């Protein structure tokens, strides 16, 4: 079946512009995660969605970052007023996490490479 | 709090030799542990996971890992390296019962296979 898909695969933007990154999880997966991968910081967990519940935003790097998940499926990560330090690969993952379930395997998308000039 | 330490940012082995990639974790609660592989310009692919069943876990592509609680380790091994194993390998941990915590990753180990 189809895996996690992300778009765009590459995004080049100018400092100060807003960008939107999209993630389509595996059909039927209830949990969705965003991570950031950069040379200096490695892989960082950003935010997690479970079904339609409100996410815990404490892992987002700054208030310029926001994320939403519509209808418990597709998610969008938005970065406002981009800065050069936002340049990184943004990875999305999904998993099936039923009620009371413990951590399950996360399946990752190919990522979006963001370059801020 | 939890953390993962991968010893050696680069490991080089000859084709056909044993592969050993080291991972030590720190967790306040019994964790779940994972090894992921990343090929250039691709996402992360799960190699194997430990979820408190058997301590010796077998994964894809001939890899396996052993959970040793006394050593807080989860080292990845493969008896005989193949050229196609050249990639970046990440060890990750998450507390049991907590999807909301996401995965905490190590810094990664770049595996180089010498012909």
């Amino acid at each position: 079946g189809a895996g996690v898909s992300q778009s765009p695969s590459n995004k080049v933007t100018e400092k100060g512009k807003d960008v939107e990154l999209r993630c389509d999880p595996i059909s039927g997966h209830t949990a969705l995660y965003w991570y950031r991968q950069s040379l200096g910081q490695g892989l960082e967990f950003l935010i997690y969605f479970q079904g339609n519940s409100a996410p815990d935003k404490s892992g987002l790097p700054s208030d310029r970052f926001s994320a939403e998940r519509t209808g418990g499926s597709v998610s969008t990560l938005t970065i406002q007023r981009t800065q050069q330090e936002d340049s990184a690969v943004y990875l999305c993952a999904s998993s099936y996490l039923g009620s009371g379930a413990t951590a399950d395997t996360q399946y990752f998308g190919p990522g979006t490479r963001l370059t801020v000039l | 709090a939890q953390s993962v330490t991968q010893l050696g940012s680069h490991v080089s082995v000859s084709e056909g030799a044993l592969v050993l990639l080291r991972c030590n974790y720190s967790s306040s609660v019994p964790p779940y542990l994972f090894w992921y592989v990343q090929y250039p310009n691709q996402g992360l692919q799960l190699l194997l996971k430990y979820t408190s069943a058997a301590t010796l876990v077998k994964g894809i592509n001939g890899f396996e890992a052993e959970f040793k609680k006394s050593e807080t380790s989860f080292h990845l091994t493969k008896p005989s390296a193949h050229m196609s194993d050249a990639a970046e390998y990440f060890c990750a941990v998450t507390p049991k019962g907590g999807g909301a915590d996401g995965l905490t990753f190590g810094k990664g180990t770049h595996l180089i296979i010498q012909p």
Side-chain angles (χ1 to χ4, degrees), chain A residues 33 35 37 40-45 48 56 91 97 101-111 113, chain B residues 32 34 36 38 41-44 46 49 51 90 94-103 105-107:
Chain A
Y33 306 78
Y35 293 84
Q37 185 175 25
Q41 300 299 321
L43 277 155
E44 305 170 88
F45 167 64
Y48 154 80
D56 177 0
L91 294 166
L97 205 63
T102 52
D104 201 353
T105 300
Q106 293 181 31
Y107 295 89
F108 284 79
R113 182 176 297 277
Chain B
Y32 285 176
F34 303 80
Y36 282 87
Q38 186 176 36
N41 300 314
Q42 294 187 26
L44 298 167
L46 180 72
K49 63 180 180 181
T51 56
F90 293 93
T94 193
K96 292 178 185 178
D101 291 304
L103 290 167
F105 286 91
K107 295 290 188 185

Side-chain angles (χ1 to χ4, degrees), chain A residues 60-95:
Chain A
L60 294 175
S62 77
D63 58 8
R64 296 184 294 103
F65 287 71
S66 62
E68 64 177 17
R69 188 179 185 191
T70 54
S73 182
V74 172
S75 177
T76 301
L77 178 69
T78 301
I79 310 173
Q80 295 178 308
R81 304 180 304 280
T82 52
Q83 303 294 313
Q84 288 182 332
E85 62 262 27
D86 299 333
S87 295
V89 176
Y90 290 83
L91 294 166
C92 175
S94 71
S95 70

